[in-house]
Structures are given as structure tokens and as C-alpha cells.
Amino acid sequence: MGGEKFGSFGRATPPARQAISTDDAIALLKSGTAKPNSLIGYGNGRSYGDSCQNDAGAVVDMRPLNRIRAFNAETGVIEADAGVLLCDIIAHAAPYGFFPAVVPGTQFVTLGGAIANDVHGKNHETAGTFGCHVLRIGLARSSGEPLTLSREENAELFAATIGGLGLTGVILWAEVKLAAITSAYLDTETIALEVIGPDADAEVARLERPGP
Ligand SMILES: Cc1cc2nc3c(=O)[nH]c(=O)nc-3n(C[C@H](O)[C@H](O)[C@H](O)COP(=O)(O)OP(=O)(O)OC[C@H]3O[C@@H](n4cnc5c(N)ncnc54)[C@H](O)[C@@H]3O)c2cc1C
């Protein structure tokens, strides 16, 4: 399989020609016959550039791997397959009062893609990147044996996998700490800009007129 289904958002490069399932990818990795550069994870293709493409081999279609494995409604810790979309995590956790601590400008990205690109949100200055909230990662590497990565276990590989663009292996699952939703309302501050220029008074009068 391959083709349009495996393009990237920016359409900068032709879509991947070849795609395989995670089961086939793991079998290939375990057989020891996978060639260097032959496989790369493909989340939901929401990358602007070509990072989810692989001219030299195949992409691994993560989307069928889409199970939420565990969720603690007390702590907000969720464990899910890498192909789960952020919108599905939100649908699952929001009724319990939890939300991903960091979300990009689209909710249609996979958990694996959010980790591999270490995505940022509009709250970057306070929450950091998505990777700051990842607790554990399950990773399949060329040895075929899945590894568990965390800040304590395989710590260097954990750090390299967050923002690693899929180059350290295929992320199979991850455990993430969600943020508690403190309120359904937003705190907002409106700051008026100074109107300058020859028609400033008329412009201020226009802006102050009640709207329709
Ligand atoms: C409308 C829009 C708004 C956006 N806004 C933001 C934003 O505000 N902030 C931001 O940071 N980004 C933003 N992005 C970019 C987007 O969040 C990232 O490109 C994200 O990584 C895409 O996730 P994906 O699941 O589609 O992954 P893909 O695009 O399929 O892949 C992205 C990278 O992750 C790797 N990968 C995917 N899954 C796996 C896996 N299971 N194991 C290993 N590697 C894997 C791929 O090889 C590739 O390198 C936006 C994109 C769009 C289209």
C-alpha cells in the first residue's frame, strides 16, 4: 500500500510510495533483515514538511494502533498506543476533568507524532513542550525487542526520542500526564492600542460607536 493516504500536510514532496503495518514492521525488525533507513513511523501526516516521508524505504502506518490502554481518572495519567489521535485522548479524558497539557494548532495528530516532533502549544512559556509531560515511551528499534524508556530507564534514548523525528525507532505506546482542567472559563485581558495618525480622532470615534 502507499499513495495519497501517506502524504504530508504541506504537500512539499510526493506521498510515501510504500507503507507497512506495525506488525509487519516489528516482524521485519525482529528478523534482523531490515536495512538501514528502510522504515520510519507515519502518524497522521500533519507535518508541514517531509519528516514523515521515506524515499529510501517504507513508512510504518501507526493509525491502526489506536487503543487507549489505561487511564487514571485521579491522577490524569493516560497510557495509549502511539496511533491514538489527540482528539481521542481529549474525548476520553475531558469528561473526567483532564486535557493534554500541550496541544498544537490541530487536534488531528497522533500521540507518536506529537512526541517525535515534540510539539508546542500556545502555552509554551508556562507548560513547555509536549515532551515535558511524557512519562514513559515504548520503542521498537532495529533489534526488534521493544524497549521501555523514561527519565530513569534508558534515559538518553528517552531524551533523544522526544523530538527525534522517528529516527531512534518506532514509538509503539506512551504514558503521558494530562493537566487538570481548572475551569471551563478563560481569563482574558483586553489591551487597547493607541490610535495614531492624522485621522486618529475620527478613527477612535468610529471604533467607539456601538456595533450592530
Ligand atoms: C493546522 C496545523 C497546525 C499545527 N500547529 C502546530 C503547533 O501549534 N505546534 C506544533 O508544534 N506543531 C504544529 N503543527 C505540526 C504538527 O503538530 C506536527 O507536525 C505533528 O508532529 C504531526 O503529527 P502526526 O501524528 O501527523 O505525525 P506525522 O506528520 O505523520 O509525523 C511527524 C514526525 O513524527 C514521526 N512519527 C510519527 N509517528 C511516529 C511513531 N509512532 N514513532 C516514531 N516516529 C513517529 C514521523 O516519522 C515524523 O518525523 C501543526 C500542523 C497543522 C497541520
Side-chain angles (χ1 to χ4, degrees), residues 115-128:
I115 295 171
N117 251 334
D118 197 13
V119 297
H120 65 274
K122 303 296 174 263
N123 57 349
H124 188 65
E125 74 284 7
T126 52

Side-chain angles (χ1 to χ4, degrees), residues 9 40-48 51-52 62 82 104-106 109-110 112-113 116-117 119-120 122 165-166 169-171:
F9 191 77
I40 193 131
Y42 182 96
N44 204 27
R46 290 304 192 268
S47 290
Y48 302 126
S51 65
C52 56
M62 300 307 300
T106 168
V109 305
T110 62
N117 251 334
V119 297
H120 65 274
K122 303 296 174 263
L165 295 173
V170 177
I171 300 167

Side-chain angles (χ1 to χ4, degrees), residues 8-193:
S8 72
F9 191 77
R11 298 184 176 174
T13 49
R17 285 186 300 268
Q18 236 198 318
I20 63 172
S21 68
T22 39
D23 281 352
D24 287 349
I26 290 170
L28 187 64
L29 292 170
K30 279 192 173 155
S31 73
T33 55
K35 296 196 185 82
N37 307 328
S38 61
L39 299 176
I40 193 131
Y42 182 96
N44 204 27
R46 290 304 192 268
S47 290
Y48 302 126
D50 62 356
S51 65
C52 56
Q53 303 291 288
N54 184 9
D55 272 355
V59 295
V60 183
D61 183 11
M62 300 307 300
R63 287 170 294 193
L65 208 67
N66 59 5
R67 200 167 41 105
I68 290 182
R69 298 165 159 223
F71 176 59
N72 184 327
E74 299 290 315
T75 61
V77 172
I78 194 162
E79 186 186 316
D81 287 344
V84 166
L85 295 172
L86 290 192
C87 59
D88 295 327
I89 290 181
I90 294 166
H92 190 87
Y96 297 96
F98 287 96
F99 201 86
V102 171
V103 284
T106 168
Q107 55 183 336
F108 302 114
V109 305
T110 62
L111 179 58
I115 295 171
N117 251 334
D118 197 13
V119 297
H120 65 274
K122 303 296 174 263
N123 57 349
H124 188 65
E125 74 284 7
T126 52
T129 59
F130 193 89
C132 299
H133 308 276
V134 175
L135 304 177
R136 293 191 306 146
I137 294 172
L139 187 76
R141 280 172 59 78
S142 44
S143 62
E145 285 313 318
L147 294 174
T148 299
L149 320 178
S150 70
R151 285 176 184 78
E152 294 77 37
E153 195 178 355
N154 298 309
E156 283 191 359
L157 204 47
F158 179 75
T161 299
I162 294 174
L165 295 173
L167 299 178
T168 60
V170 177
I171 300 167
L172 298 175
W173 59 268
E175 188 182 66
V176 178
K177 176 105 170 72
L178 303 179
I181 301 170
T182 48
S183 167
Y185 297 96
L186 294 176
D187 236 348
T188 63
E189 185 184 3
T190 306
I191 302 173
L193 296 176

